Amino acid sequence: MRLQGIPKAKIAEELGIQDVGRLKIWMRKYREQGNFGLMEHRGRRKEYKDLEREVKRLRLENDVLKKWLEIL
Protein backbone atom coordinates (compact mmCIF):
# COMPACT_ATOMS: atom_id res chain seq x y z
CA MET A 1 0.00 0.00 0.00
CA ARG A 2 2.74 2.43 0.95
CA LEU A 3 4.40 1.95 -2.42
CA GLN A 4 1.22 3.28 -4.00
CA GLY A 5 1.72 6.62 -2.23
CA ILE A 6 -0.94 6.13 0.44
CA PRO A 7 -0.02 7.97 3.65
CA LYS A 8 0.92 5.89 6.69
CA ALA A 9 -1.95 7.36 8.72
CA LYS A 10 -4.47 6.20 6.11
CA ILE A 11 -2.95 2.69 6.01
CA ALA A 12 -3.03 2.47 9.81
CA GLU A 13 -6.66 3.58 9.83
CA GLU A 14 -7.68 1.02 7.19
CA LEU A 15 -5.88 -1.80 9.04
CA GLY A 16 -7.23 -0.76 12.44
CA ILE A 17 -3.79 0.12 13.83
CA GLN A 18 -4.13 2.92 16.36
CA ASP A 19 -0.40 3.65 16.73
CA VAL A 20 1.07 4.99 13.49
CA GLY A 21 4.50 4.84 15.11
CA ARG A 22 4.16 1.06 15.41
CA LEU A 23 3.35 0.88 11.69
CA LYS A 24 6.48 2.91 10.92
CA ILE A 25 8.59 0.49 12.99
CA TRP A 26 7.11 -2.52 11.17
CA MET A 27 7.74 -0.89 7.79
CA ARG A 28 11.35 -0.12 8.72
CA LYS A 29 11.96 -3.66 10.00
CA TYR A 30 10.49 -5.12 6.81
CA ARG A 31 12.57 -2.79 4.64
CA GLU A 32 15.80 -3.68 6.51
CA GLN A 33 15.28 -7.41 7.18
CA GLY A 34 12.42 -8.60 5.00
CA ASN A 35 10.02 -11.18 6.42
CA PHE A 36 12.53 -12.12 9.15
CA GLY A 37 12.18 -8.63 10.64
CA LEU A 38 8.46 -9.18 11.18
CA MET A 39 8.81 -12.57 12.88
CA GLU A 40 8.19 -13.00 16.60
CA HIS A 41 11.54 -13.15 18.40
CA ARG A 42 10.52 -12.98 22.05
CA GLY A 43 11.60 -15.97 24.09
CA ARG A 44 14.07 -17.17 21.46
CA ARG A 45 16.98 -14.95 22.40
CA LYS A 46 18.56 -17.55 24.73
CA GLU A 47 18.28 -20.18 22.02
CA TYR A 48 20.02 -17.89 19.51
CA LYS A 49 22.79 -17.04 21.99
CA ASP A 50 23.36 -20.73 22.69
CA LEU A 51 23.61 -21.43 18.96
CA GLU A 52 26.00 -18.53 18.46
CA ARG A 53 28.23 -19.84 21.24
CA GLU A 54 28.20 -23.32 19.70
CA VAL A 55 29.15 -21.95 16.28
CA LYS A 56 32.02 -19.94 17.79
CA ARG A 57 33.25 -23.00 19.70
CA LEU A 58 33.14 -25.17 16.56
CA ARG A 59 34.97 -22.55 14.49
CA LEU A 60 37.69 -22.32 17.12
CA GLU A 61 37.93 -26.10 17.22
CA ASN A 62 38.26 -26.22 13.42
CA ASP A 63 41.01 -23.59 13.49
CA VAL A 64 42.93 -25.55 16.12
CA LEU A 65 42.61 -28.78 14.14
CA LYS A 66 43.79 -27.09 10.93
CA LYS A 67 46.86 -25.73 12.69
CA TRP A 68 47.55 -29.13 14.24
CA LEU A 69 47.39 -30.73 10.76
CA GLU A 70 49.83 -28.11 9.44
CA ILE A 71 52.29 -28.97 12.21
CA LEU A 72 52.08 -32.67 11.42
Side-chain angles (χ1 to χ4, degrees), residues 2-3 5 8-9 11-12 14 20 24 35 37 40-41 46-50 53 55 57 59-62 64-65 69:
R2 183 68 181 144
L3 296 176
K8 290 181 184 99
I11 294 170
E14 287 183 23
V20 177
K24 290 178 185 179
N35 288 337
E40 179 67 50
H41 298 288
K46 183 181 184 312
E47 179 183 327
Y48 290 140
K49 285 185 179 181
D50 290 344
R53 287 184 190 130
V55 168
R57 186 188 67 78
R59 285 186 177 151
L60 178 62
E61 184 178 314
N62 283 340
V64 169
L65 290 171
L69 286 173

Side-chain angles (χ1 to χ4, degrees), residues 5-70:
I6 301 171
K8 290 181 184 99
K10 179 72 173 165
I11 294 170
E13 180 183 324
E14 287 183 23
L15 296 175
I17 301 170
Q18 295 179 0
D19 183 11
V20 177
R22 174 59 45 195
L23 178 64
K24 290 178 185 179
I25 291 169
W26 290 341
M27 290 174 70
R28 179 179 44 85
K29 284 185 175 187
Y30 182 77
R31 189 173 49 251
E32 292 173 356
Q33 302 173 8
N35 288 337
F36 181 78
L38 300 177
M39 291 174 58
E40 179 67 50
H41 298 288
R42 289 182 288 186
R44 297 184 184 187
R45 185 163 297 187
K46 183 181 184 312
E47 179 183 327
Y48 290 140
K49 285 185 179 181
D50 290 344
L51 290 174
E52 288 174 8
R53 287 184 190 130
E54 180 70 8
V55 168
K56 286 179 184 178
R57 186 188 67 78
L58 292 171
R59 285 186 177 151
L60 178 62
E61 184 178 314
N62 283 340
D63 290 341
V64 169
L65 290 171
K66 286 177 185 177
K67 290 185 185 211
W68 183 71
L69 286 173
E70 288 175 6

